[in-house]
Amino acid sequence: MKMLSPSRHLYEPYLIKGLLLVRAKLGRKSSSLLSNSATSIGSRPTADRAKERRRHFFEDDEPFNYADHERPLVPGSPGTPLHPPLRRLIYALTSLVAGMTGALGNGLVSANLPYLQGALGLNVSEIAWLPAVYLITNAVTGCILVKYRQQFGIRSFCLIFLGLQTLLIGAHLLVGNLASAILLRGASGVCGSAMGTLGVLYMVQAMSAKRRLAAVTLGLGIPQLALPIAWVIPKDFLAFGSWSGLYLFEFGLSLVSLGVVMVVRLPPTVRSPAFEPLDAVSFGLYASGIGLFGAAMGLGSYLWWTNAAWIGWCLAGSLPCLALFALIEFHRQRPLVDVRWLSAGTFVRWAVIAVICRVAQSEQAAGVISMLRDFGLTNDDFRTLTFVILAGAAAGLFLSAFFISPSRLAILVLVSLAFASTAAYLDSFSSLSTRAPQLVWSQAMMGAATTMFFGPVFIFGLGRVLMRHGVGLTSFVAIFGITQSVGALVCNSLLQTYLFHAQQYHLTNFAVQTEKSDPAVMAATSVLSSQYLAVLTDPALRGAQGVQALSQQVILNARVAAYNDVYLAISLAAAFGLLLLLGVVLITAFRQPRKSTP
């Protein structure tokens, strides 16, 4: 079997020769890897080169012999040969494009959801389908994507699905109804899962072996910056043509990513048979259970849990699907999701910490940003705050990548939880006069917390997979997707439900305190009524308007008090996670010397 060099796998011959020419002009020594590749390409017979050009671009190149330190860690992952600096830079830029393609489109939709609602002519419950469908498909497809990559390679999937997503965006630009929007969000969720993985793989190629953990952290963290970036982008840039500008931007981003992935190739991977006939049954049950559960959680707080019968039916239907799925996987020799392994105490504790970190992350989108919008502000009105959030998120990501090591994973998560708990506690003192300048420091800490935990949490679980030589990778990806994507749905849903109940509680208390006979209430009503003196001459009408204005202030005060309760609950949850993880670390450190004692 003919062996190809990794350079040939990356670029077409003319690109490689161009790199050699650039390096020669700069007076640098060409790398032996690149030189040998160009020599082998130039000496290849014409018939072989013609055959190579006819090769379908969806196919991976033929494998070649790796050195021991360059071999893929698990089947389906590319090798890690040495690359010259320019090629590393190209890989890093490709990782940035791939990571943002899957996340920025959904971030723009989530950041501008209230404005899209009017453009599409939808009510609140209908527009809520868009982020819910994205998170559901993003969580469901993670494990099946791992098996596809192990058997066929990930590149073909990404190219095919990027093309499909591009077609769907174009169709939505022409149709623009709710059904096409939901279909597009679902496709974007699958594409986001694929492109997120691709972003990590490209970033691993861009950094040396010593910084491999940093590469994984950066590859995972770049998509987490999508939502702060979406808040920063002015809505006027996207709102033209009934918000068709948003989909045009996503369309262009998909085209750019498709072109880049077609040109910049990853080194070959080691493949192995992965799919089994029973996987279709298991995945069908798994997708059905997660889909029904996610739909109920995503829409429950909007339609309200007891007002729509289908929410209860979805929750009830998800239980037998997931139970039957777990029963099948429990008795399989090569399960899609290893239920026995994931039920171990280590992974249970890991899942609890991962969910708590996700709860803390929801404080910004479901808490502070929503509260500012309740005050009548738009994204453009608090852009300075969103710049601060973006800066904090970027700082947390780069600090995590810089300090990460196997011995510091728990420390980074502890710092992240400490930041989140402190920031949420500071936000719990908000009032009607609170605006963006009062939230700068707390949201900078929260932004850092949302990106600092992501890499360490993922790497901890991935390390357990590598200890088993890659066995259980699909299981880990599945549980990670559930804790993050489905966990985001559950957190937002529970927070909104708690916000509603807290608001009703405070509204009842405020209503009792605002009796009309109270002198303070009468004075406030008189002041509010005087504002209408220039437009209303009838004292009775002015008095009615004053009472109405006072009622609105009472409702808004109750709303702010409810947000404070939510912030305090998030702070306590983050503090609980911090103490739990600290206890695990201390117990582990206490037992370690005793295990080594003869």
Side-chain angles (χ1 to χ4, degrees):
M1 181 176 65
K2 188 194 313 180
M3 298 301 177
L4 300 180
S5 67
S7 300
R8 175 63 186 90
H9 183 77
L10 177 60
Y11 301 112
E12 296 297 327
Y14 64 89
L15 290 177
I16 300 175
K17 293 178 180 178
L19 291 177
L20 288 173
L21 182 61
V22 171
R23 295 177 66 87
K25 288 183 177 180
L26 293 176
R28 300 176 181 174
K29 294 181 179 180
S30 302
S31 66
S32 59
L33 182 63
L34 200 56
S35 302
N36 295 337
S37 175
T39 303
S40 65
I41 292 167
S43 62
R44 189 176 298 157
T46 305
D48 290 345
R49 291 201 302 269
K51 181 179 179 181
E52 190 66 31
R53 284 194 298 269
R54 289 195 299 268
R55 183 188 295 271
H56 197 280
F57 70 88
F58 286 147
E59 298 178 5
D60 288 333
D61 286 348
E62 298 176 14
F64 60 92
N65 290 328
Y66 284 110
D68 291 338
H69 65 280
E70 297 175 348
R71 296 182 183 278
L73 295 176
V74 293
S77 299
T80 53
L82 297 175
H83 300 296
L86 182 57
R87 195 189 307 163
R88 291 184 184 276
L89 177 60
I90 293 174
Y91 273 132
L93 294 176
T94 305
S95 172
L96 179 64
V97 172
M100 280 298 173
T101 297
L104 188 55
N106 181 69
L108 288 171
V109 171
S110 299
N112 298 284
L113 209 60
Y115 319 122
L116 282 172
Q117 177 184 342
L120 296 176
L122 306 176
N123 57 39
V124 176
S125 59
E126 290 173 335
I127 200 69
W129 276 106
L130 302 186
V133 168
Y134 177 90
L135 291 173
I136 291 170
T137 56
N138 187 271
V140 165
T141 55
C143 61
I144 208 69
L145 173 60
V146 173
K147 284 209 167 189
Y148 185 97
R149 188 180 69 198
Q150 291 175 347
Q151 185 157 346
F152 303 107
I154 192 174
R155 185 171 181 274
S156 63
F157 180 85
C158 292
L159 290 174
I160 292 172
F161 208 87
L162 268 174
L164 177 60
Q165 186 195 29
T166 304
L167 293 176
L168 287 174
I169 295 174
H172 182 70
L173 286 170
L174 298 176
V175 180
N177 54 23
L178 178 61
S180 65
I182 291 177
L183 182 63
L184 174 59
R185 286 301 102 208
S188 297
V190 183
C191 180
S193 179
M195 299 306 290
T197 303
L198 199 62
V200 174
L201 298 180
Y202 274 110
M203 188 59 73
V204 168
Q205 301 296 321
M207 304 186 75
S208 62
K210 293 181 179 179
R211 303 299 300 170
R212 192 139 302 157
L213 293 182
V216 174
T217 302
L218 289 174
L220 288 168
I222 285 174
Q224 307 306 311
L225 302 176
L227 187 56
I229 291 175
W231 285 332
V232 168
I233 296 177
K235 67 178 187 299
D236 293 340
F237 290 175
L238 306 169
F240 63 88
S242 296
W243 285 89
S244 60
L246 188 153
Y247 297 103
L248 283 173
F249 179 83
E250 193 174 3
F251 182 75
L253 191 63
S254 298
L255 286 177
V256 171
S257 185
L258 179 62
V260 170
V261 172
M262 287 175 62
V263 173
V264 183
R265 297 191 175 203
L266 288 166
T269 183
V270 176
R271 301 187 193 177
S272 64
F275 285 106
E276 298 180 358
L278 196 56
D279 285 340
V281 178
S282 294
F283 181 72
L285 292 170
Y286 172 72
S288 300
I290 295 297
L292 291 172
F293 180 78
M297 298 305 296
L299 275 296
S301 59
Y302 290 94
L303 296 173
W304 202 245
W305 307 99
T306 57
N307 290 347
W310 66 266
I311 295 177
W313 286 112
C314 284
L315 289 174
S318 66
L319 294 178
C321 290
L322 294 176
L324 187 57
F325 163 75
L327 181 64
I328 294 174
E329 295 299 292
F330 187 83
H331 293 90
R332 291 182 64 182
Q333 293 184 349
R334 297 179 59 192
L336 180 66
V337 177
D338 194 340
V339 180
R340 297 184 182 181
W341 182 49
L342 294 179
S343 61
T346 300
F347 261 106
V348 171
R349 291 190 295 269
W350 172 88
V352 171
I353 298 298
V355 170
I356 291 175
C357 291
R358 174 56 65 177
V359 171
Q361 188 177 8
S362 63
E363 193 262 359
Q364 282 184 334
V368 169
I369 300 299
S370 297
M371 183 182 72
L372 293 177
R373 285 174 177 167
D374 286 346
F375 291 157
L377 304 178
T378 64
N379 294 351
D380 296 341
D381 296 325
F382 48 85
R383 185 173 294 119
T384 302
L385 179 63
T386 55
F387 271 114
V388 170
I389 293 174
L390 177 59
L397 173 60
F398 287 111
L399 285 174
S400 179
F402 182 79
F403 288 106
I404 196 165
S405 68
S407 60
R408 296 173 180 166
L409 297 179
I411 296 175
L412 289 172
V413 178
L414 286 172
V415 172
S416 172
L417 289 171
F419 280 0
S421 180
T422 304
Y425 180 74
L426 293 176
D427 290 339
S428 66
F429 294 97
S430 300
S431 64
L432 280 180
S433 60
T434 300
R435 293 297 182 269
Q438 288 79 41
L439 300 169
V440 167
W441 290 107
S442 63
Q443 289 309 295
M445 284 193 295
M446 186 60 73
T450 55
T451 53
M452 189 176 291
F453 84 91
F454 209 81
V457 167
F458 182 87
I459 289 172
F460 176 84
L462 184 63
R464 296 300 183 272
V465 174
L466 296 180
M467 289 171 60
R468 304 177 69 200
H469 306 286
V471 177
L473 182 59
T474 57
S475 306
F476 167 67
V477 171
I479 192 65
F480 187 76
I482 290 175
T483 58
Q484 299 306 302
S485 296
V486 179
L489 280 175
V490 174
C491 291
N492 291 336
S493 159
L494 295 181
L495 287 180
Q496 289 176 1
T497 303
Y498 180 59
L499 179 67
F500 173 80
H501 283 294
Q503 180 181 352
Q504 296 301 111
Y505 171 78
H506 289 294
L507 187 59
T508 302
N509 288 340
F510 290 162
V512 172
Q513 299 173 18
T514 54
E515 298 181 0
K516 290 184 179 181
S517 58
D518 192 317
V521 174
M522 295 176 63
T525 304
S526 177
V527 172
L528 294 172
S529 301
S530 63
Q531 299 176 359
Y532 301 94
L533 188 61
V535 292
L536 294 176
T537 58
D538 189 347
L541 291 178
R542 287 200 307 269
Q545 290 295 329
V547 171
Q548 184 178 0
L550 181 61
S551 300
Q552 292 175 352
Q553 285 195 0
V554 170
I555 293 174
L556 195 54
N557 272 288
R559 185 76 170 175
V560 174
Y563 275 116
N564 288 337
D565 290 347
V566 169
Y567 301 148
L568 185 59
I570 293 174
S571 177
L572 293 175
F576 171 76
L578 188 151
L579 294 176
L580 176 63
L581 180 58
L582 186 61
V584 172
V585 171
L586 292 177
I587 292 174
T588 303
F590 177 74
R591 290 179 175 177
Q592 194 73 25
R594 299 182 64 181
K595 287 185 178 180
S596 60
T597 303

